[in-house]
Amino acid sequence: MVIQRSLLVGALGLCALLATPAAAMAAPGPAEGGGSSQQRDSLRALGANIGLRIGTAVNTDQLGSNAAYADITAGQFSTVTPENVMKWQLVEPAQGTYDWAAADRLVAFAEANHQLVRGHTLVWHSQLPDWLTASAPSMSPDQLREILRKHVTDEVTHFKGKIWQWDVVNEAFNDDGTLRNSIWLQKLGPGYIADAFRWAHQADPQAKLFYNDYNIEYTGPKSNAVYALVKNLQAQGVPIDGVGFQTHLDTRYPLPDLRNNLQRFADLGLDVAETEVDVRTTLPVTATEQSAQVAAYSQTLQACMAVKQCISYTVWGFGDAYSWVPGVFQGEGAASIYDENLQPKPEYYALQQDLELATGAPHRSGVGAGRG
Ligand code: 9MR
């Protein structure tokens, strides 16, 4: 089913030049929004006008080998999220042997380009190292808790002072609002969530600590369960600063009431962020489907802009050639804001236009400070 949506025809008419100067790769350079004249209409510069960070997940293989990819990463975005290289499977491939190299390179890239880093992700049921998957079932709860504590502590300590927001716990709930039956829940009980936040806070008291999940953009059992969890954590004095709304959308489903959901979490005194935005559709893409994608991107950004405590808007990669979608959803794709050849799509221009239209709105600096 294709959902009817209003079309953002105006956005398609915009043809602002892409700003991808090589200068953006080198330090010293402009701060949050970039500063050179070529960059004035980049997403990061336009976001900076209103104090909103615009981010992307980064494929570090491409970053190291594809100059056009690196130019866009540097020129368009003011925060980066490692798509994979901070996950447990990659940082501790053998027990006790850490490999931080790829993640360190991304952090250095971010520093050189005046970008902040979203750390992703410390506690998850997926992308665990093989040694852990094999040995966890036979461990005692105390043994497994100690392994989790060490992982969280070692990783947060390694990146101490370099991470703006950490996704401390990722995807702990099922869509029906029950807790996911992960190895963590099975062995440690629901208290593993509070423990993880406490350990992360001990290791880096300055980092903003987030709970992150998908399908919580909609009001319903899952977002209600996360809301109850967060209130409960706050009541216990657990150091949680924010909630990340992944925002993986599909044109086959209705748009979420995202603004309301962002606002009700923000009203708890939290920061909120859209952390993994993409909008997939069936291939080949029809004009109607692409209009729906453009509208979805636009509405997700507008929802963030409408909530003062929404401190960053991050797309889950920016090029259709590198998207996770076709590998997981058969027959779907085209979910990103740049095409297979790294050319900006109408989705890109819609975001750019929304940010341009917001220029002059009150700056968000000083809001959303969260707990600290
Ligand atoms: O984009 C990531 C892909 O390269 C990995 O193969 C996959 C493994 O599960 O994880 C993808 O990223 C996920 C993110 O870490 C958490 N939310 C859902 C994302 C898309 O699956």
Side-chain angles (χ1 to χ4, degrees):
M1 179 181 67
V2 175
I3 306 301
Q4 293 298 318
R5 298 194 179 89
S6 61
L7 308 183
L8 272 180
V9 180
L12 310 185
L14 276 184
C15 57
L17 290 175
L18 241 195
T20 58
M25 301 288 291
E32 179 181 342
S36 69
S37 55
Q38 305 101 299
Q39 284 187 291
R40 244 180 278 145
D41 63 357
S42 68
L43 300 182
R44 68 181 289 175
L46 293 169
N49 289 337
I50 54 168
L52 177 62
R53 294 270 172 174
I54 307 295
T56 183
V58 175
N59 175 323
T60 50
D61 292 339
Q62 292 303 318
L63 192 70
S65 61
N66 179 338
Y69 184 97
D71 272 358
I72 295 171
T73 306
Q76 294 293 327
F77 301 101
S78 51
T79 82
V80 290
T81 307
E83 184 172 359
N84 285 301
V85 295
M86 284 188 191
K87 292 171 180 173
W88 198 340
Q89 187 178 51
L90 283 96
V91 299
E92 196 182 6
Q95 188 167 13
T97 305
Y98 289 115
D99 180 0
W100 308 112
D104 285 347
R105 282 196 294 275
L106 179 61
V107 170
F109 179 91
E111 280 173 4
N113 291 289
H114 307 279
Q115 295 165 314
L116 298 180
V117 180
R118 293 199 83 258
H120 177 83
T121 177
L122 296 169
V123 184
W124 195 23
H125 63 277
S126 182
Q127 285 181 286
L128 296 171
D130 289 345
W131 62 263
L132 179 60
T133 307
S135 58
S138 58
M139 283 183 208
S140 72
D142 283 350
Q143 284 172 320
L144 190 63
R145 185 178 291 101
E146 175 53 20
I147 283 190
L148 186 62
R149 187 200 63 74
K150 183 170 170 15
H151 163 66
V152 171
T153 302
D154 288 356
E155 179 147 9
V156 176
T157 301
H158 178 82
F159 295 108
K160 185 176 180 189
K162 300 183 171 185
I163 303 294
W164 180 38
Q165 306 172 17
W166 262 118
D167 287 334
V168 177
V169 177
N170 194 42
E171 303 174 3
F173 284 92
N174 298 309
D175 282 348
D176 67 2
T178 57
L179 279 170
R180 185 188 291 275
N181 190 25
S182 65
I183 188 73
W184 311 121
L185 184 69
Q186 287 168 22
K187 288 266 175 177
L188 310 181
Y192 81 87
I193 297 175
D195 284 344
F197 279 92
R198 291 190 176 107
W199 295 325
H201 180 62
Q202 265 179 358
D204 187 353
Q206 298 306 317
K208 287 180 181 285
L209 305 183
F210 273 62
Y211 176 81
N212 190 53
D213 214 329
Y214 61 86
N215 282 354
I216 58 170
E217 301 80 28
Y218 300 81
T219 302
K222 189 170 191 177
S223 64
N224 291 346
V226 173
Y227 187 83
L229 166 81
V230 166
K231 279 185 82 159
N232 187 268
L233 293 175
Q234 289 180 314
Q236 295 176 64
V238 174
I240 180 169
D241 298 292
V243 172
F245 296 69
Q246 292 185 9
T247 320
H248 292 291
L249 302 183
D250 187 323
T251 61
R252 293 183 300 172
Y253 306 118
L255 284 172
D257 50 337
L258 182 52
R259 178 177 171 177
N260 290 339
N261 267 303
L262 293 172
Q263 189 64 59
R264 71 170 169 149
F265 281 84
D267 288 345
L268 294 175
L270 295 167
D271 291 324
V272 291
E274 290 176 50
T275 55
E276 306 186 12
V277 182
D278 56 17
V279 185
R280 61 188 181 268
T281 194
T282 48
L283 299 174
V285 185
T286 64
T288 308
E289 285 168 337
Q290 186 163 47
S291 296
Q293 291 177 296
V294 168
Y297 268 105
S298 179
Q299 290 193 30
T300 55
L301 177 57
Q302 287 182 23
C304 182
M305 291 195 298
V307 176
K308 273 195 309 189
Q309 296 86 346
C310 186
I311 58 174
S312 58
Y313 177 92
T314 297
V315 293
W316 200 242
F318 55 82
D320 282 340
Y322 319 110
S323 167
W324 67 289
V325 168
V328 173
F329 297 94
Q330 213 189 351
E332 292 192 74
S336 313
I337 61 173
Y338 286 73
D339 70 12
E340 301 264 344
N341 300 311
L342 288 182
Q343 296 304 305
K345 293 168 33 178
E347 289 85 338
Y348 169 89
Y349 293 119
L351 296 184
Q352 186 187 49
Q353 184 185 51
D354 286 333
L355 291 167
E356 270 170 350
L357 289 171
T359 300
H363 201 273
R364 312 163 90 80
S365 288
V367 301
R371 163 176 52 84

